[in-house]
Amino acid sequence: MKDVVKYYGDYPALRGVTLEVPKGAFQCIIGPSGSGKSTLLHIIGGVDKPTSGEVTVAGVRLNDLGDDELAEFRNRNVGFVFQMFYLIPRMSILENVELPLILRRVPREERRRAALEALRLVGLGHIDPRKRPTQLSGGEQQRVAIARAIVARPRILLADEPTGNLDSATAKVVMDTFLELKKTLGITIVMVTHNLELLPYCDAYAKMRDGKIVEISSKQQPT
Ligand code: ADP
Ligand code: ADP
């Protein structure tokens, strides 16, 4: 993205952000609450449109897209993970992971196969997929949510505080899951986090403050 500005009304949430994330990289975004991190993710994911500036994601120039095309872009290219897992409690784990494929009208057998594969990829291949989400630990539930985010094989995974509800040991299991997905799928990951302990897992981080990137680095701890 280049020179991206985002206003909510007359409030500038982003005040000129330029960021390049290489394909297949794991990019972290840090910075205080309200500094524009979620807004940045929303713009990369095509959920929000910039007020000005250019955004190209997975080879697609998002500025050129209308609302329907933007929705299509999201469906095809982007998976989302949040701090809350947003799993549907009355559905089995398998059904939760299948959901994006149900919405895409993928046939039942293919759906099932893809969901089981996604669960295997996040390290939950040993868990009975007929269980309900509440029968799993928090870390396992987040990995189910990650399986759901990747089941349609997006090129980009956007994670907003994915470990915010997890203890630090479990957070590291989730980071290992991201590294595994990076390796096996070549997926690009952009993660917002408050947890500086997780930065060693990232290839690079950008630190935001007041709607701007104030520090950018590769493989270094922030000062
Ligand atoms: P962070 O993720 O770093 O906490 P956000 O990107 O969520 O920051 O928000 C940046 C600023 O923009 C905050 O002041 C927030 O209140 C404001 N903001 C975010 N989304 C909206 C919105 N939809 N409408 C109005 N203001 C918003
Ligand atoms: P975080 O700080 O964890 O990033 P926030 O609580 O700032 O999350 O924002 C949660 C959601 O509410 C986001 O989708 C954001 O865009 C929206 N939001 C944040 N601030 C405002 C606001 N002032 N007006 C409207 N929506 C907002």
Side-chain angles (χ1 to χ4, degrees), residues 74 112-113 119 134 150 165 195 209:
R74 282 199 300 274
R112 182 136 307 184
R113 195 187 44 70
L119 283 166
T134 50
I150 59 144
N165 277 329
N195 187 351
R209 187 182 190 94

Side-chain angles (χ1 to χ4, degrees), residues 166-197:
L166 304 174
D167 63 68
S168 62
T170 308
K172 285 174 180 165
V173 174
V174 169
M175 290 304 100
D176 286 331
T177 303
F178 281 176
L179 292 187
E180 186 62 24
L181 295 176
K182 200 178 94 139
K183 197 170 78 183
T184 55
L185 302 180
I187 196 166
T188 307
I189 304 171
V190 182
M191 175 175 82
V192 165
T193 186
H194 276 114
N195 187 351
L196 301 186
E197 274 178 44

